[in-house]
Amino acid sequence: MAASASQPSSAALALLVALLLIAGWASAAGNETQGFRPGDELRRYRRVQALLRRLNKPALRTIQARACAHLRYLLSSSFLCCSPPTPTLTLTSPDGDLIDCVGAHLQPAFDHPRLRGHRPLDPPVRPKGHHHRRPNDTAGAGAQLWAASGESCPEGSVPIRRTTEADVLRASSVRRFGRAPAARVRRDSVAGGHEHAVGYVAGDEYYGAKASINVWAPKVSTASEFSLSQIWVIAGSFGNDLNTIEAGWQVSPQLYGDNSPRFFTYWTTDAYQTTGCYNLLCSGFIQTNSRIAMGAAISPTSAYNAGQFDISLLVWKDPNHGNWWLEFGSGELVGYWPSLLFSHLASHASMVQFGGEVVNTRASGSHTATQMGSGHFAGEGFGRASYFRNLEVVDWDNSLVPLAAGFHVTADHPNCYDIQGGVNAVWGNYFYYGGPGRNVRCT
């Protein structure tokens, strides 16, 4: 229901501050080597608030959950999330997210020193050979729960999932919030607990990639682990100069606070060290779409031996301006990564990768039970295993072409998560992949 937002009462603010101080005391009390240090807690609190002010821009409209709407506003919106002082129109979102409709010219991208004063570009020409989903294709997921009521942001604005204090406090540090840990791309050996089952092409010049990705809700064992399925567009070495653009779906309790599969993007220019972030959690990606929210939950999802749903993703380099554009679903242009963000990807990619990834922290002393894809091995096939289909790359002529003979599939730990590729007339290049993680052969 629509309602006007109000400022929190002084009593609510006092209660909130008291709760924060108590939480800080409880955290410090668990460490025998140091006592309660209110100065440290206050400094951290101020860093969190500064980050929230930077990320949460003034909204023309906010779409939020119906349950306890007023309490959520008091605890998450005006005080902690630094929403605008003027009232916003509040609608409902069934997944509990707060979606702010922010003027396109105010989005976080334009905080980047080299993008200030920039205005979103008009849509580019799509690659030759690009066709929208055929009616007899496997059903697409594509929809997002926040937009289930049919609401979208006004023209000239973009939907941004609001960052709350709880989101930031789940991160390993305020400084690392919104950033991925290192070793996100498969190498010859596994590093940092990241495990993959992927297909890839390398050794040529690539200007984009396209695939349809089966969407599931895999179980993630601990909050610090995640499970994702995505496209990687890669350039540079696997050292400190690695450039990547990434898009797909992920389940990440630490980042989002739940176990829903969510549409996400990522980018980096220095191997995940200091540049780049998920979604719009730093300046960089320029969103142009008023209907798709990055980081929002995807619906419906696939079920074992039941309905199968996938999303189509296309990333390609605009031959006129050199920027990397993203299309989601059946023709929805989401926005673009300006070429000036990158070093190697300013020209082209040297590798394209498709597949799944999990983090294995071995929290229980054995391999994680975090699932990849459906949580079932590739050999179970359609309706049981997860899949990528219609894999294509974009060539120098801005044409979508099937993968060449150099396409390879590989799994870091096939007893935990595996992959099987194939080609047919309907799905083109495809593969099944995934697995349950810990089992009798994966310990």
Side-chain angles (χ1 to χ4, degrees):
M1 111 192 302
S4 294
S6 59
Q7 293 296 319
S9 67
S10 58
L13 297 183
L15 174 61
L16 180 58
V17 171
L19 289 173
L20 289 169
L21 291 176
I22 291 170
W25 173 83
S27 175
N31 188 336
E32 295 177 357
T33 63
Q34 69 178 48
F36 172 49
R37 293 196 273 179
D40 291 346
E41 292 300 324
L42 184 57
R43 280 190 290 274
R44 186 171 190 235
Y45 172 74
R46 287 173 174 166
R47 286 196 296 270
V48 171
Q49 297 310 306
L51 176 63
L52 294 174
R53 280 192 296 272
R54 189 164 69 251
L55 292 177
N56 295 318
K57 306 298 186 181
L60 302 174
R61 172 185 298 172
T62 295
I63 301 171
Q64 73 176 54
R66 182 188 304 273
C68 304
H70 182 63
L71 179 60
R72 290 179 67 87
Y73 181 80
L74 288 178
L75 296 181
S76 307
S77 177
S78 179
F79 181 56
L80 291 181
C81 291
C82 311
S83 63
T86 54
T88 59
L89 178 62
T90 300
L91 302 169
T92 61
S93 170
D95 61 356
D97 283 347
L98 294 168
I99 304 295
D100 288 329
C101 299
V102 174
H105 64 292
L106 296 178
Q107 62 182 290
F110 301 129
D111 293 338
H112 193 289
R114 297 183 64 186
L115 292 174
R116 286 174 186 153
H118 185 97
R119 289 291 181 267
L121 296 174
D122 291 333
V125 176
R126 286 172 169 81
K128 295 185 282 288
H130 174 43
H131 303 289
H132 295 323
R133 186 186 299 275
R134 297 188 299 272
N136 61 346
D137 272 351
T138 303
Q144 295 189 303
L145 288 176
W146 73 272
S149 64
E151 294 293 340
S152 64
C153 288
E155 199 66 33
S157 68
V158 295
I160 300 178
R161 181 181 183 270
R162 187 182 298 181
T163 302
T164 68
E165 183 175 84
D167 292 333
V168 180
L169 294 179
R170 286 191 302 271
S172 58
S173 70
V174 176
R175 184 180 63 85
R176 293 296 303 175
F177 174 71
R179 293 180 179 169
R184 289 287 323 284
V185 180
R186 188 193 171 276
R187 312 175 189 222
D188 292 335
S189 61
V190 181
H194 294 252
E195 300 183 16
H196 307 78
V198 298
Y200 66 93
V201 289
D204 203 344
E205 295 183 359
Y206 306 102
Y207 295 83
K210 185 176 186 292
S212 293
I213 309 174
N214 201 201
V215 180
W216 296 80
K219 182 184 70 174
V220 174
S221 294
T222 70
S224 59
E225 297 181 343
F226 62 67
S227 180
L228 60 78
S229 298
Q230 67 171 49
I231 299 171
W232 289 262
V233 176
I234 303 166
S237 70
F238 287 100
N240 294 336
D241 66 341
L242 183 71
N243 288 202
T244 74
I245 288 172
E246 306 167 28
W249 61 261
Q250 69 178 161
V251 175
S252 177
Q254 185 177 77
L255 186 59
Y256 303 108
D258 63 19
N259 293 288
S260 298
R262 293 170 176 271
F263 168 54
F264 83 99
T265 63
Y266 200 92
W267 67 275
T268 182
T269 63
D270 62 357
Y272 309 97
Q273 295 180 93
T274 62
T275 62
C277 61
Y278 286 107
N279 306 323
L280 300 179
L281 295 177
C282 66
S283 56
F285 184 87
I286 297 174
Q287 183 157 338
T288 60
N289 192 290
S290 62
R291 296 174 296 278
I292 301 296
M294 292 156 66
I298 299 172
S299 178
T301 59
S302 302
Y304 189 80
N305 269 339
Q308 301 298 297
F309 301 95
D310 59 34
I311 57 174
S312 180
L313 293 173
L314 167 64
V315 176
W316 83 102
K317 189 174 179 62
D318 173 15
N320 294 321
H321 296 97
N323 303 311
W324 291 88
W325 281 80
L326 171 65
E327 180 185 283
F328 173 80
S330 298
E332 290 279 3
L333 279 179
V334 182
Y336 60 94
W337 293 269
S339 62
L340 62 80
L341 296 175
F342 302 100
S343 52
H344 299 289
L345 281 174
S347 55
H348 57 80
S350 55
M351 182 179 189
V352 172
Q353 186 169 285
F354 311 84
E357 177 187 354
V358 301
V359 168
N360 172 27
T361 63
R362 301 187 68 89
S364 63
S366 58
H367 194 284
T368 183
T370 288
Q371 299 173 334
M372 181 188 291
S374 68
H376 293 264
F377 286 115
E380 294 196 39
F382 184 78
R384 301 174 180 87
S386 44
Y387 62 79
F388 277 62
R389 65 182 176 91
N390 298 116
L391 309 180
E392 297 175 289
V393 294
V394 180
D395 69 6
W396 63 272
D397 191 37
N398 196 36
S399 297
L400 271 168
V401 295
L403 301 184
F407 179 65
H408 304 281
V409 295
T410 184
D412 294 330
H413 291 295
N415 288 335
C416 308
Y417 315 103
D418 69 353
I419 183 168
Q420 295 180 8
V423 183
N424 65 34
V426 178
W427 276 16
N429 287 98
Y430 71 90
F431 59 81
Y432 291 103
Y433 71 103
R438 185 171 64 243
N439 64 78
V440 294
R441 296 184 297 128
C442 172
T443 58

